[in-house]
Amino acid sequence: MTQAGAETTPAQWEAIPVADLLAHPGNVRDDVQVPDDLLADITANGVQEPLYIVRTHGDVPQVIDGFMRLAAAVAAGLETVPFTPRPVIRIDQLTPHPKNAREDLDINAAFVESLRAEGCRIPVKIQRLEGGVLQVNDGNRRYFGSKEADLTHLPYEWDDESRDEADQFLDMITTAQHRKSLTHGEMTAAMFSAAEAGAQVGRIAKAAGVRQKDVKAVVRVRTNKALNAAVADAADYAWTFDHLAALSEFADDAEALAAITGAAAAKGADADDVDWAIAIERTKRDRRRRAEAHRAELEQAGQRIRDAAELSERATPVWRLKTTDGKRISADEHAQCKGQVWVLEGADDEKYKPYCTSPVLYGHAAPGDGGAASTKTSADKEAEKAARAAVKKGNIEWDAAEGRRRQWIADLVKRRSLPKDTTNIVTGHISTALLDGTWGVGDDLNSDATTKILATLLGLTSDQAKDRSAFTEHVSKDPRRAVQLQFAAIAAVRERSAGRYAWRTDEMRCNDIRRATARWFKILEALGYSLTPIERSVADDEPYDPNRPKRAALPASSDQAAEAEPAADEAAA
């Protein structure tokens, strides 16, 4: 209820005018004699102990406890007095049960903050023992939590004094059995209802023991028709606050919402599955943004842009062009061709590609083998097109996994301290990397690519990332983080080597990269990282088919029918 030394907090006692109480004769007792010390205290400090007042028929305020304090307030000329609509008792008058059944009361920060913000809402059950001791038979967690929250009073009710110690322990069992926490869905619904009823975000967050941004995420989802429907489509999944916040990013993207919801609604889906779906959709979104930026650059440079559907069958990507004598035509060489246009081949591509609208018309060899007639059947061409589309889809998933993985590593690096087992694994890996010389640390540690990754893992700004020699100045000097920072440097080398070639098991397979990446993934897994499906295929040295149904899998992509670049170019991109 009220907080010690904090009379203006939201949990302070309500006040009622003295005149309202005096207007009803039942609140004035002629036989009440106010002691001099009580009158002096109330005259100097006001009424500190609230009156217990209930409302009877006709909304009449009736004093149940506090007649003497009211009389003193009248004598002292006070205009209002504090009151409570239910009985409360000072915490310092209570004694916890010496044999409480709960060994771990779980007095966590969120519970204490909730009590501090809203007071204790559930009465403790107390019993008067010999010698006047008031023992808490039920509600010991509330008792200790309220003390930590600096509350001065608790609501209470009397336990049946005829019940013996055996009855008290049986009560502990039955009350624990009868309690049931709100489900996550019930909690978020209640939080939204509180917001609709006018409760401020901060108050809801404190009452629920969550972050303010969690409350805001709930309100955004519940007030948006598309987002609310998406959550309802996977009602059996326990949506986390972070996942609700992520949904808000895609409020205007029905395809992305469907993919994320589909992952959540899948049988046996867990948080990792939904994380994976969100990571994929974020990667696709980021690719579209980069494509928009690329288009703006091309337009500013005066380049012609065409939709893939506008091109004739003769249009050919520049990478496939050759001269009439069979030599390759580079993009720079084709830049001055009057037939050049730029095309976004697939909806999830991040770059526009140069095309020639009519190779023969503009002096190039027909697509294929330098002018010779192609021997490939339509079925062969369709199979190649499907294979290239699968590569593009796999690369999207690889990029999504990479972003998710590097964020996990960055979070590990930011931790002030690590558990002993984790520290041992990290330290062992650092030693192996430095001593065995099998990971290329000496060659790659100071490369530009490694420096860029390391800056990301350390959380440096773009300005801080410009000078590798000053990285140490920008990170924590806390010696407890030394192992994490050393690990970040080694991890940056590992991540630099874990390129797209690692997941391929077709003609572009690179066993050296795949084996090294598999070893790295297994180290991360030992540290607690949950591998995505594409990372799992590398760790287990299994082929990966992006189109194979799997938990949290992508729906059929809109660009699967689009022709992609050759596998080598895709892997090198």
Side-chain angles (χ1 to χ4, degrees), residues 293-308:
H294 188 212
R295 178 177 182 133
E297 292 175 4
L298 293 172
E299 290 176 338
Q300 187 173 11
Q303 298 293 326
R304 292 185 297 164
I305 297 175
R306 296 288 184 271
D307 289 336

Side-chain angles (χ1 to χ4, degrees), residues 184-408:
H184 189 78
E186 291 168 340
M187 173 68 80
T188 57
M191 289 164 62
F192 176 64
S193 297
E196 273 195 317
Q200 296 297 312
V201 167
R203 184 183 176 192
I204 298 172
K206 288 181 178 179
V210 300
R211 302 166 297 183
Q212 290 194 28
K213 70 176 185 179
D214 295 335
V215 180
K216 292 177 182 177
V218 170
V219 173
R220 280 196 299 269
V221 168
R222 293 284 185 173
T223 53
N224 183 286
K225 185 177 180 180
L227 296 178
N228 203 28
V231 171
D233 287 343
D236 291 337
Y237 175 72
W239 290 93
T240 69
F241 293 119
D242 287 340
H243 288 165
L244 292 177
L247 277 183
S248 299
E249 301 174 22
F250 302 100
D252 299 325
D253 189 338
E255 184 177 345
L257 285 180
I260 297 170
T261 303
K267 184 178 180 180
D270 58 20
D272 284 338
D273 297 315
V274 179
D275 277 342
W276 176 223
I278 291 171
I280 291 173
E281 295 308 316
R282 281 175 173 160
T283 301
K284 292 167 66 177
R285 179 196 59 195
D286 292 343
R287 280 170 162 257
R288 289 193 292 269
R289 289 175 177 172
R290 287 194 288 271
E292 291 169 2
H294 188 212
R295 178 177 182 133
E297 292 175 4
L298 293 172
E299 290 176 338
Q300 187 173 11
Q303 298 293 326
R304 292 185 297 164
I305 297 175
R306 296 288 184 271
D307 289 336
E310 298 175 350
L311 301 179
S312 70
E313 292 183 357
R314 297 186 302 274
T316 305
V318 170
W319 64 264
R320 293 185 60 195
L321 295 178
K322 293 183 180 180
T323 62
T324 53
D325 57 358
K327 295 181 180 179
R328 286 282 184 182
I329 299 177
S330 69
D332 289 339
E333 291 170 340
H334 192 267
Q336 303 304 318
C337 177
K338 294 182 179 180
Q340 176 159 300
V341 295
W342 291 81
V343 178
L344 189 68
E345 295 177 328
D348 297 323
D349 283 357
E350 57 186 335
K351 289 284 187 179
Y352 282 73
K353 306 295 172 58
Y355 268 64
C356 186
T357 55
S358 183
V360 176
L361 177 64
Y362 293 108
H364 314 310
D369 55 356
S374 175
T375 59
K376 294 180 180 178
T377 65
S378 297
D380 291 335
K381 293 178 181 178
E382 287 301 316
E384 287 183 356
K385 186 184 295 186
R388 286 193 291 269
V391 169
K392 292 183 70 175
K393 188 175 180 182
N395 284 339
I396 290 175
E397 297 191 20
W398 183 262
D399 292 349
E402 179 182 272
R404 178 180 180 272
R405 184 176 68 251
R406 291 183 182 177
Q407 183 59 57
W408 185 90

Side-chain angles (χ1 to χ4, degrees), residues 18 34 39 42 47 68-81:
V18 171
V34 181
L39 178 59
I42 287 179
V47 176
M68 187 176 294
R69 296 192 294 281
L70 176 59
V74 172
L78 301 184
E79 294 183 355
T80 62
V81 292

Side-chain angles (χ1 to χ4, degrees), residues 421-503:
D421 290 347
T422 302
T423 300
N424 290 340
I425 295 172
V426 169
T427 304
H429 180 58
I430 294 172
S431 297
T432 300
L434 295 177
L435 298 177
D436 288 2
T438 57
W439 289 81
V441 173
D443 297 332
D444 297 336
L445 184 59
N446 296 318
S447 70
D448 290 341
T450 300
T451 296
K452 184 177 180 181
I453 295 171
L454 178 57
T456 300
L457 298 183
L458 295 176
L460 302 184
T461 66
S462 56
D463 287 338
Q464 292 172 334
K466 292 177 180 177
D467 183 7
R468 175 70 177 269
S469 65
F471 276 21
T472 302
E473 298 177 10
H474 301 312
V475 296
S476 171
K477 304 301 189 299
D478 188 342
R480 290 174 294 182
R481 287 191 60 206
V483 172
Q484 291 92 298
L485 299 178
Q486 293 166 15
F487 179 71
I490 302 299
V493 175
R494 301 288 182 265
E495 286 294 310
R496 177 189 182 279
S497 302
R500 288 177 175 174
Y501 283 114
W503 77 269

Side-chain angles (χ1 to χ4, degrees), residues 32-62:
V32 171
Q33 298 293 322
V34 181
D36 292 340
D37 57 346
L38 177 61
L39 178 59
D41 180 60
I42 287 179
T43 300
N45 304 307
V47 176
Q48 299 297 309
E49 201 74 16
L51 283 66
Y52 172 28
I53 297 173
V54 299
R55 295 278 179 174
T56 61
H57 296 295
D59 200 31
V60 174
Q62 175 64 60

